């Protein structure tokens, strides 16, 4: 019975953990890395076709985004998630595949002109659709028996619609262990979602530490008033308010605040201003929110629904789907609010709106979420005076600001409150993950000072859950820079090796075939080898 740390170890994105219990092999999250990558992540130690199932804590791409890649490499097991996470993952994984293919097409147009190597997307829409078919929606607070070795339970942690911590009840022979994966822990008193619910017993805890070195403002932020002031000031200059926002979660919170700005008529300069949500994903996600009111909404949002008030709808709200609608926004000179994905400005339509507004001193760019190191959003917040968009340098003259206090993550005190909730059986050890390098180290020390045995493992670390000892304590391996062509060639060869490993796995699974089928299978493999063994 062992736990292997794969991703988001001393880094904020790319969450992935791997467990073996008896003969069962499974992952908790399979996320994509976003922004600057400091450390090399180790590969999952088995071929994807050998993974029996995957558990998802929530739908954000840094927790789910490599699921289609795993499918492309042979994974066909079940994927367990809460109902809302399954709903959101269906649209987010398709959106991610679209971005992968769009980027590949754009790069390949340039490569053909320059004679460079062609770029292959990480995965395709077909891979995403295949992965989506594996999703199994589950309810909160329900014991889900997966197999003789593993039972799980999802608990709402208030970070995102459908987000959860996951209790894994593992059994191997006479040994039993409870391992709790926190997922991303939500902030308190969020506008739409419930507060985090605490788990009371665990042997081991794997917990995030995104804001483990800082505290949110002690005073409740006046999001509505602050947002209204930004809009009023920008409209008086004749500019647009452009808000890079995660399509799922943060966009819906902004609509919740903007409904109140409109209702209270807090903006006097053009009080009937239009708000454009320019993201097909955000539009679909908003519809998913409407389907999960009773299970996921907090008291305030549910009370509005019971009064037949849409918490995230109002006059002047424009939900855009097509690219033509998106392009038309920037030919309309009337001051407006534009909300578009992605939240860290790394992809999507927001980059077009930045291209049209960053150079305008009349406009304001408002950040409303965490910006990881190495992203365009982080660069703008840290004072970049020019940025490159679509191969063109754009000078930054717009006002760059951040809506203070808005965060879907618990701060240091919130994280401590969550881990202190294990009152019936406190964990023997806490593993700190999903935070920047220095933050993981700092929060580990905070836990140690609070009386916990805590550690912040690097990718490749292996822990024996029965003996309570490390089998391997990995050291950090810095990422080596590669050329785009070199990296792609390496990725493609790795895919070939993975395909070969999958073939071997399929051969083992077919032991016991009839003589006729075994001979046919053998001939097909030999024919393939003859074709390529030159």
């Amino acid at each position: 019975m062992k736990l292997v740390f794969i991703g988001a170890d001393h880094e904020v994105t790319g969450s992935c953990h791997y467990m073996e219990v008896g003969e069962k092999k499974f992952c908790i999250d399979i996320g994509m890395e976003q922004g600057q990558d400091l450390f090399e992540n180790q590969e999952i130690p088995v071929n994807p076709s050998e993974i029996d199932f995957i558990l998802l804590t929530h739908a954000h791409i840094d927790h789910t985004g490599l699921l289609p890649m795993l499918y492309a490499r042979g994974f066909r097991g079940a994927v367990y998630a809460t109902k809302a996470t399954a709903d959101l993952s269906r649209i987010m994984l398709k959106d991610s595949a679209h971005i992968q293919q769009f980027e590949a097409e754009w790069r390949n147009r340039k490569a053909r002109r320059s004679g460079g190597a062609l770029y292959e997307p990480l995965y395709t829409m077909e891979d995403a659709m295949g992965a989506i078919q594996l999703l199994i929606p589950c309810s909160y607070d329900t014991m889900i028996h997966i197999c003789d070795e593993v039972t799980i339970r999802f608990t709402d942690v208030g970070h995102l619609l459908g987000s959860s911590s996951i209790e894994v009840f593992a059994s191997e022979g006479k040994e039993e262990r409870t391992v709790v994966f926190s997922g991303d822990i939500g902030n308190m008193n969020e506008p739409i979602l419930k507060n985090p619910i605490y788990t009371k017993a665990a042997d081991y805890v794997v917990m995030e530490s995104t804001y483990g070195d800082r505290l949110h403002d002690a005073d409740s932020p006046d999001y509505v008033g602050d947002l209204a002031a930004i809009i009023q000031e920008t409209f008086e200059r004749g500019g647009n308010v452009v808000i890079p926002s995660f399509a799922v979660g943060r966009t819906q919170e902004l609509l919740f605040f903007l409904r109140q700005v409109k209702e209270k008529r807090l903006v006097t300069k053009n009080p009937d201003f239009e708000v454009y949500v320019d993201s097909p994903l955000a539009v679909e996600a908003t519809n998913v929110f409407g389907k999960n009111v009773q299970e996921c909404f907090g008291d305030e949002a549910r009370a509005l629904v019971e009064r037949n008030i849409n918490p995230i709808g109002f006059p002047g709200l424009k939900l855009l789907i097509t690219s033509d609608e998106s392009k038309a926004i920037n030919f309309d000179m009337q001051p407006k609010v534009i909300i578009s994905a992605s939240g860290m400005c790394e992809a999507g339509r927001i980059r077009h709106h930045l291209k049209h507004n960053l150079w305008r001193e009349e406009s304001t760019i408002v950040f409303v979420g965490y910006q990881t190191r190495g992203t365009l959003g982080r660069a703008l917040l840290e004072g970049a005076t020019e940025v490159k968009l679509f191969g063109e340098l754009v000078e930054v003259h717009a006002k760059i600001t951040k809506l203070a206090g808005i965060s879907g993550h618990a701060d240091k005190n919130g994280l401590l409150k969550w881990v202190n909730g294990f009152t019936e059986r406190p964990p023997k050890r806490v593993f700190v993950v999903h935070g920047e390098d220095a933050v993981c180290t700092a929060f580990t020390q905070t836990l140690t000072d609070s009386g916990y045995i805590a550690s912040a493992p690097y990718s490749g670390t292996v822990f024996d859950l029965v003996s309570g000892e490390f089998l391997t304590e990995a050291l950090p391996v810095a990422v080596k820079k590669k050329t785009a062509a070199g990296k792609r060639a390496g990725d493609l060869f790795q895919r070939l090796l993975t395909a070969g490993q999958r073939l071997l796995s399929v051969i083992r699974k077919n032991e016991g075939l009839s003589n006729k089928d075994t001979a046919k299978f053998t001939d097909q493999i030999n024919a393939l080898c003859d074709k390529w063994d030159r």
Side-chain angles (χ1 to χ4, degrees), residues 23 31 163 171 237 244-245 260 278-279 320 324 338 341 364 382 404 425 438 452 485 504 512 528:
E23 297 298 315
S163 65
S171 175
R237 297 196 306 265
S245 177
Q260 296 176 70
D278 186 23
S279 165
L320 307 186
D324 286 341
I338 304 169
T364 302
E382 291 180 344
R425 191 165 82 250
Y452 292 96
L504 186 58
L528 182 64

Side-chain angles (χ1 to χ4, degrees), residues 16 71 145 151 174-175 257 291 342-343 347 362 374 412 418 462 477 485 491:
C16 182
Y71 178 88
H145 180 77
T151 298
K174 296 181 179 180
E175 299 291 346
F257 300 141
K291 291 169 53 181
S342 70
E362 304 94 339
K412 179 179 175 180
W418 183 84
V462 183
V477 178
D491 289 346

